[in-house]
Each structure stands twice: as structure tokens, then as C-alpha cells.
Amino acid sequence: TRTKSSDVERADSGISQMSARKWRNRASETLSSLQAWEAHRPCTDCGERDLPVETDVQNCNQRRADLCEKCRKRRTERKESVLEFVNTEASYGEDLRIIKEEFYLPMQAAGLLSQEQLQGIFSNIQELIDLNENFLEILQEEIDQAFDQGDDDLMTVCIGEIFLEFVNMLPAFQTYCLQQSSSVNMLNALEKEKELLRIFLNVSQNDNTALRRMNLRSFLMAPLQRVTKYPLLLSRIIKATTEYHPDHGSLREAKSRIESHLEHINMKTKQEGNTWTLRSFRQDSKKKREVINIEMRETALKTVGWLREETRFVMEGSLQLAQPPDGQWVKKGSKTLKFQNMQVLLLVNMKRVSESSLESAEPGPVKDAVLVLIRDKNNGKFHLLREPLRLSNCIVSSDPDCDDTFELIEIRREAFVFRDSDRARTHHWFRQIRRYSRELGSWKKRRNALPNIMISTPHTRP
């Protein structure tokens, strides 16, 4: 028996003609809704819905077709600012290489100056060259990777994050800037004294096309000009970067860090009696605090003698400190103690996992941890209260009856009571100090950092 065509249709698809018409109508309505949404689609950067309707199919497939006119312009400005940052860093690096290859090496090879005189004039120029090469290499890799991935606007390039990874180049700039005045004075004196040096410098300026008819003094100013230009370049990128961009916070922190270092260099320059200063910046309370933090870190590093790249500053800030006259401070309560304000820094010394201090890697195990106690400024300088407290020789404890303080006992020596104006921050200080105190010291690992009852010290708690 022959089967009807209608039966075959129901058996194959299971959809009646009426249902099929309903699905076709619903699909048509959905397509119309999608087209209407496409006509008023939100900008991918700011979320606004004032985009012009795209009629060109190719433009619809482009990422920039999903941007409003304002954000398109902003992305263009950001791309130009990022490229300006990278290109000017490359130009600065070329000037550094000219200093070395056209001045330093020829003067050294000809014996025009002794090694000590060359060091006095050119300072740490090789360190700046190494830092620039590594910094520029990472920047260029980020640019190339963005273009390879189709990111023509360079939105995936995070200048702020990269700058913070290379923040250790700022102390190198500081060393160079603080020696600039003496370097120029030495060059002036030697040029008057040595005729061959004077002839070499004149011939180089007039006949060496690589120098662009610039003299040595102009090139020696390159690091000073570069370090003072970083805040301006970062400001341009920040202005063109939306606050929702993942690099926005890092850009602001990088700008703040460099401005604080510039203020610190200016202050150091005035203390040493030099008349010149770097470009001044607006002093506000945050900038002043950051400059003070830089000074304290330098004081702490100089005291402990650790390498900068092996040192991590875990906590720093103001704490109140008291030294109990006997071991009964818990029973008497903290009100009977006389506290004084103190600047405290918690430093840890990490084992190096690589010979290159610029390589970003996970920190190694902790070798040592100290607590540096610094008095408030007196006559413009910081002074240590005592030598650093090595946490490997300390017991840290607290008591529920005095939860606004904690005690640190240095074995067979002294006891200290600390507190912060904020109770929660006091607890945070306590946890961090106790953590490193327990990690260090073989005797504590066997006894879970509990104090030895046989230790003879008048400050041990009852």
C-alpha cells in the first residue's frame, strides 16, 4: 500500500505545517530583535548605546566597530601614547650607547683618563644601559605580541605593570643624578688641564656624525631628562586609559612611585649642598609619606647590609613601643606602660632563584627576617633606636587580656611591647612578625615556637 506524502512528512520531521509556520515566524521575530539590538549595541569600552549603525559588513566584523566615537578617539590616543613611551625609551637607550661607544671606550683605549677619572665622569652609566636594554626588550615584546594577536589598538599592553616590574631602575637613576654635579665639575677641570682631552671632545662634536653635533655634556644629561619625563609620559597614557582597564591602577601607582623618587632626589641634592634640582612636583601628604618611606628603606637596607634585589619589605609604618620594667605588664595592663612613637619596618631576606635580578620569578625561601626600629626625624635625618631585631632570636606572643598590644622578647636581652592606633592593624603586625619568627630558628621548629622554660630572662611572662 502506498503511503501518503503527508504521513511521510509527519513521520520524518514530526513537525506539522502549522508548527513550522510558527517557528519560522518566531525566528523572523528573533532576527528582527537582533538587528534592532545591533543598531543600538553598547560600546565595548564605556557601555553607551549611541553607536552609529554600521552598513558595511566588513566594518561590522572589526573590533573598532563596537566602539563609540569617543572611545575610538581615546583608543587612538592611548596607542599613540604607548608607542611614544616605547619609542622615546629606545631613543634614550641610543644616547646611552653613544656615551659608552663614542666617548667612554675611545677615551679609555687612548688612555686620555684614568679609570678613576672615567668612573667619576660617567658614574654608573653601564648599569643604566643594562636596565634600559632589559626594559626596552620587554616593552617591545609586549608590542609585538599585541600586533601578532590582532590587537591593533595595543589594549593588551600594560605599561604600568611592566614599569612596576622594573621599579629597581629608579635607585640607579638616583645614583646617577646625585653624582651629576660632581661629574660635570670633574669634566670641566680635566678639560682645562688635559689638552688631548679637549681636542678629542672638539673633534668628536664637529666630525662625528653620530653625535648630531652635540657635546659630551649634553649626552650626560640624557638620564636626568629621561627620569623626569616618565611622569609626563605615564600621565598621557593614564588620561587615555579607561578606569576599567586592568592596567589603570598600575599606571597610577607607577606615576606615584617615580614622582616620589624625584622628590627624594631633590631633597638629597639640597642636603648635599648642590644648587641644581630635578623638575619639582606638587608636594601633598601622600607624596611626602612616600618620600619618607624611601628614606626609611634606604636606612634599613644600609643597616642590615642586604642586597636590594634579595630584600622584601613586608610591612612598614608607625607603631607605638614600650619597654616594660618587669615581667608583670600583662597583669598591670598596657595603661601603665609609657609608649613612644616609632617607625618600624619588617624586612625579609629571600634566597635568589636566578642570577638576574630583573627576572620575574617566584621568590625563594626566607633566609632571614629582621625588625628595624627607627626614631622619628631629628635634624632632618633618621636614627636607629638600636640594631635590628633578628626574628630568629625572638619570641612573639599576645594575651587575650591585652588584645590591643603584643610582646616581642629577644632571647637573653630585651622585651618590647608594640601597639598600633588601630587594633586590627596591631593584630596584623602581630601575625606577620610571629609568622617569620616561627619559620626561622631550628630550636623553634622542634617546639612549635614555644618559649623554652629554661631560658633565663626577667621578661618572660608568668
Side-chain angles (χ1 to χ4, degrees):
T1 306
R2 299 180 62 180
T3 307
K4 296 182 180 179
S5 60
S6 59
D7 294 334
V8 173
E9 181 181 355
R10 292 191 190 96
D12 291 343
S13 65
I15 302 176
S16 65
Q17 294 181 354
M18 184 176 295
S19 298
R21 283 196 298 271
K22 288 182 179 179
W23 280 108
R24 284 195 295 269
N25 292 337
R26 184 170 300 178
S28 177
E29 292 174 359
T30 302
L31 179 60
S32 300
S33 299
L34 289 173
Q35 291 174 344
W37 180 88
E38 177 68 18
H40 301 283
R41 64 192 182 280
C43 172
T44 56
D45 279 7
C46 65
E48 297 293 334
R49 293 179 176 270
D50 57 351
L51 295 180
V53 178
E54 295 287 348
T55 57
D56 190 349
V57 177
Q58 292 183 350
N59 289 337
C60 290
N61 294 331
Q62 295 176 358
R63 185 181 303 176
R64 293 177 64 88
D66 295 331
L67 300 172
C68 64
E69 190 63 31
K70 181 180 178 180
C71 290
R72 289 185 187 183
K73 184 178 179 181
R74 177 186 292 171
R75 284 200 176 192
T76 301
E77 292 175 353
R78 185 181 188 278
K79 177 181 179 180
E80 293 175 351
S81 300
V82 168
L83 291 177
E84 181 187 12
F85 188 100
V86 178
N87 293 335
T88 53
E89 186 70 22
S91 299
Y92 160 66
E94 185 61 31
D95 287 343
L96 293 181
R97 283 184 287 278
I98 287 176
I99 293 175
K100 178 182 178 181
E101 296 173 4
E102 306 297 336
F103 289 105
Y104 180 90
L105 292 179
M107 291 164 65
Q108 184 184 47
L112 296 178
L113 297 177
S114 65
Q115 191 61 38
E116 183 179 355
Q117 291 169 336
L118 290 171
Q119 178 66 30
I121 293 175
F122 295 97
S123 186
N124 61 329
I125 195 70
Q126 184 58 52
E127 182 183 12
L128 294 177
I129 291 175
D130 295 338
L131 288 167
N132 167 261
E133 290 178 350
N134 285 277
F135 188 36
L136 187 60
E137 181 182 0
I138 298 299
L139 290 172
Q140 196 59 56
E141 286 179 359
E142 289 292 314
I143 297 292
D144 295 341
Q145 183 177 359
F147 282 132
D148 291 342
Q149 294 176 350
D151 179 17
D152 295 333
D153 295 327
L154 303 181
M155 294 298 292
T156 57
V157 177
C158 296
I159 296 293
E161 292 182 5
I162 300 173
F163 193 95
L164 291 177
E165 288 180 5
F166 284 83
V167 75
N168 61 333
M169 67 182 174
L170 298 182
F173 276 109
Q174 175 178 314
T175 300
Y176 186 90
C177 292
L178 293 179
Q179 295 181 8
Q180 178 64 17
S181 180
S182 59
S183 298
V184 172
N185 292 337
M186 178 179 290
L187 178 60
N188 293 336
L190 290 173
E191 191 174 3
K192 293 178 181 179
E193 176 185 342
K194 296 179 179 291
E195 183 178 0
L196 289 178
L197 175 63
R198 184 168 61 254
I199 293 173
F200 168 78
L201 294 176
N202 289 335
V203 171
S204 298
Q205 180 179 354
N206 296 323
D207 298 342
N208 191 340
T209 57
L211 303 186
R212 309 187 298 276
R213 300 189 69 82
M214 294 169 56
N215 57 28
L216 175 57
R217 293 174 185 80
S218 299
F219 282 101
L220 291 177
M221 291 294 294
L224 281 71
Q225 294 169 349
R226 184 58 185 172
V227 73
T228 53
K229 197 173 181 180
Y230 279 135
L232 177 61
L233 294 171
L234 291 171
S235 295
R236 291 177 182 173
I237 301 177
I238 293 172
K239 184 178 179 181
T241 302
T242 176
E243 62 180 357
Y244 303 109
H245 193 280
D247 195 39
H248 190 269
S250 297
L251 284 167
R252 289 194 172 277
E253 183 181 354
K255 180 175 179 287
S256 178
R257 294 283 290 273
I258 182 62
E259 288 183 349
S260 299
H261 270 273
L262 291 177
E263 291 290 354
H264 178 62
I265 293 173
N266 280 339
M267 183 186 62
K268 284 284 189 181
T269 303
K270 293 178 182 179
Q271 289 178 354
E272 295 179 5
N274 295 326
T275 56
W276 69 272
T277 57
L278 296 173
R279 189 170 73 104
S280 60
F281 291 87
R282 180 175 57 88
Q283 285 271 15
D284 55 24
S285 58
K286 182 179 180 180
K287 296 284 191 309
K288 291 179 180 178
R289 287 197 304 270
E290 290 173 346
V291 170
I292 290 175
N293 289 342
I294 295 171
E295 289 185 79
M296 290 194 302
R297 290 179 182 180
E298 286 191 349
T299 301
L301 277 176
K302 189 180 298 183
T303 302
V304 298
W306 297 346
L307 295 176
R308 188 182 301 272
E309 59 268 20
E310 296 182 359
T311 304
R312 186 160 66 91
F313 293 87
V314 180
M315 290 192 69
E316 53 190 307
S318 178
L319 280 179
Q320 294 180 345
L321 176 147
Q323 291 185 270
D326 52 38
Q328 303 299 318
W329 70 273
V330 174
K331 294 181 179 179
K332 295 177 182 178
S334 60
K335 294 182 180 180
T336 62
L337 297 174
K338 295 182 179 180
F339 286 89
Q340 58 178 322
N341 292 325
M342 194 71 54
Q343 298 295 332
V344 182
L345 295 91
L346 174 57
L347 290 71
V348 295
N349 191 10
M350 317 294 293
K351 289 183 179 179
R352 298 179 66 177
V353 295
S354 172
E355 291 299 323
S356 173
S357 61
L358 300 176
E359 182 177 348
S360 59
E362 292 296 325
V366 176
K367 292 195 297 184
D368 200 359
V370 298
L371 211 60
V372 179
L373 310 179
I374 302 178
R375 297 181 184 273
D376 285 338
K377 269 192 169 183
N378 186 15
N379 297 327
K381 294 184 179 181
F382 287 111
H383 297 280
L384 296 176
L385 174 68
R386 63 188 304 283
E387 68 272 13
L389 290 164
R390 298 201 172 274
L391 297 187
S392 58
N393 299 326
C394 295
I395 298 171
V396 185
S397 58
S398 64
D399 193 282
D401 296 333
C402 296
D403 62 348
D404 61 337
T405 61
F406 64 91
E407 183 183 25
L408 185 147
I409 300 176
E410 189 179 20
I411 303 302
R412 297 187 179 89
R413 295 194 64 179
E414 299 178 275
F416 300 91
V417 179
F418 293 95
R419 72 179 181 188
D420 193 281
S421 55
D422 179 64
R423 182 168 299 185
R425 188 161 174 82
T426 300
H427 295 167
H428 186 53
W429 272 101
F430 166 67
R431 288 191 297 269
Q432 290 290 341
I433 295 174
R434 183 181 60 177
R435 168 193 168 187
Y436 292 106
S437 175
R438 286 181 171 179
E439 286 184 6
L440 301 167
S442 58
W443 64 274
K444 295 179 195 172
K445 294 178 182 178
R446 294 194 302 269
R447 307 188 69 256
N448 195 25
L450 296 175
N452 193 327
I453 59 174
M454 300 303 295
I455 292 176
S456 176
T457 171
H459 302 294
T460 304
R461 291 187 180 187

